[in-house]
Amino acid sequence: MTKLRNSEVIPVAELASKHLQSDISHFRAFSSSFTNDYVAKFNQSIEELRPQVNPPELSLKIFELKKKYHSTLHEIRTKLTAIDDMCLLYKNRLVVPRGQFRIYEVRREVRKENIKGVYSGLEATFMAIRKNMLKLESVGFNNLLIEELDDLRKQLLSISKELDGLVAQQKELFASNQEKISQLQSQVSFINKYGKLVFRNADPQRREVYTMAHAINEVRSQQRAMLKSE
């Protein structure tokens, strides 16, 4: 479970519980260890750990800030595309080399989520626009475009700082509960181990849901979808 992040322990355990309860009759036929009491205790261990490492209020704040963070990056990306389009409209008469706008470089920093790189890269974009405004106004370059992008980069920096602070709080909670986290991971491993044995020959496709790779991919896909949802 080396690839499993601390923040993924609870959702991965919930997924293991969901699969176990769905396939409980198969597990019982394979081993008498999987009783109703075992399932109840496993679910109880999840609920006991949740408030200790992922308090609802803290979790909600982190989630909302992550959504704002990704939304702001998306808005910056959209405006960079608009600038690029305006450059293309003006390409036959453009006196200013497109490279001066640093669009490629800023997009790269946006993809890397390098906030400092985005911040400094946009400054170069602003300088190129201001310096050549008279030549570029006819295709839509204006001070409002600069102001909107400047507000977005300041917002991104502010969100990033606040998010870093909350994530640091959560890391402290993870650090102080490592023993319990490890115990829950061990329970998940136990369920996955038997799940792979139960379905090894009977249903190879079903067997895959009891691999950690499958669990991590599913949890991360769900998290990405939630961050992108309105």
Side-chain angles (χ1 to χ4, degrees):
M1 300 185 71
T2 54
K3 295 182 180 179
L4 188 60
R5 301 166 186 162
N6 278 321
S7 59
E8 294 167 343
V9 172
I10 297 293
V12 164
E14 289 175 327
L15 191 59
S17 176
K18 175 184 173 183
H19 293 319
L20 174 61
Q21 292 179 75
S22 176
D23 296 324
I24 192 65
S25 61
H26 297 283
F27 274 76
R28 283 174 180 160
F30 190 86
S31 172
S32 59
S33 299
F34 296 99
T35 62
N36 289 336
D37 188 50
Y38 175 86
V39 175
K41 285 182 178 179
F42 178 56
N43 289 332
Q44 183 181 354
S45 64
I46 295 174
E47 295 310 317
E48 286 178 351
L49 184 60
R50 191 195 306 279
Q52 296 178 42
V53 299
N54 203 18
E57 186 176 348
L58 177 61
S59 176
L60 181 60
K61 284 182 180 179
I62 290 175
F63 176 73
E64 290 177 343
L65 280 174
K66 282 184 176 180
K67 287 200 71 170
K68 288 181 182 179
Y69 174 84
H70 288 287
S71 174
T72 304
L73 280 174
H74 176 73
E75 288 186 61
I76 290 174
R77 193 181 297 111
T78 299
K79 291 194 179 297
L80 287 172
T81 300
I83 292 175
D84 204 20
D85 289 344
M86 287 188 285
C87 287
L88 291 172
L89 285 172
Y90 202 50
K91 66 179 179 179
N92 293 327
R93 293 174 293 149
L94 191 60
V95 179
V96 185
R98 290 178 66 198
Q100 288 191 23
F101 296 96
R102 299 285 296 278
I103 297 171
Y104 172 79
E105 290 83 356
V106 180
R107 278 178 172 164
R108 181 187 62 206
E109 300 306 315
V110 168
R111 286 195 302 271
K112 291 163 57 179
E113 298 186 15
N114 180 3
I115 309 305
K116 290 183 179 179
V118 172
Y119 201 90
S120 60
L122 283 174
E123 188 61 41
T125 304
F126 300 158
M127 289 177 63
I129 295 174
R130 290 190 182 105
K131 183 178 179 181
N132 301 281
M133 188 70 79
L134 292 177
K135 301 173 184 176
L136 304 171
E137 283 182 324
S138 63
V139 289
F141 286 87
N142 53 56
N143 285 319
L144 180 60
L145 179 63
I146 294 175
E147 291 170 6
E148 289 175 342
L149 265 171
D150 194 28
D151 286 342
L152 285 171
R153 71 169 183 163
K154 289 175 181 176
Q155 180 180 321
L156 182 66
L157 185 62
S158 175
I159 292 170
S160 179
K161 287 181 178 179
E162 187 177 357
L163 184 58
D164 285 347
L166 294 178
V167 169
Q169 290 181 34
Q170 193 171 54
K171 284 182 178 178
E172 290 179 4
L173 294 176
F174 291 142
S176 61
N177 288 279
Q178 277 302 303
E179 185 177 348
K180 293 179 181 178
I181 289 173
S182 296
Q183 290 173 354
L184 187 59
Q185 289 185 18
S186 295
Q187 287 179 278
V188 172
S189 293
F190 181 78
I191 292 169
N192 283 347
K193 172 186 174 182
Y194 275 91
K196 285 181 283 190
L197 290 172
V198 168
F199 294 103
R200 178 176 53 189
N201 298 319
D203 190 343
Q205 188 173 359
R206 185 61 182 167
R207 177 188 182 279
E208 287 303 306
V209 305
Y210 291 98
T211 62
M212 190 53 64
H214 180 278
I216 291 173
N217 286 338
E218 186 164 342
V219 165
R220 291 180 186 175
S221 295
Q222 290 173 355
Q223 291 174 343
R224 285 193 295 269
M226 288 174 65
L227 288 173
K228 291 178 180 179
S229 65
E230 294 298 329

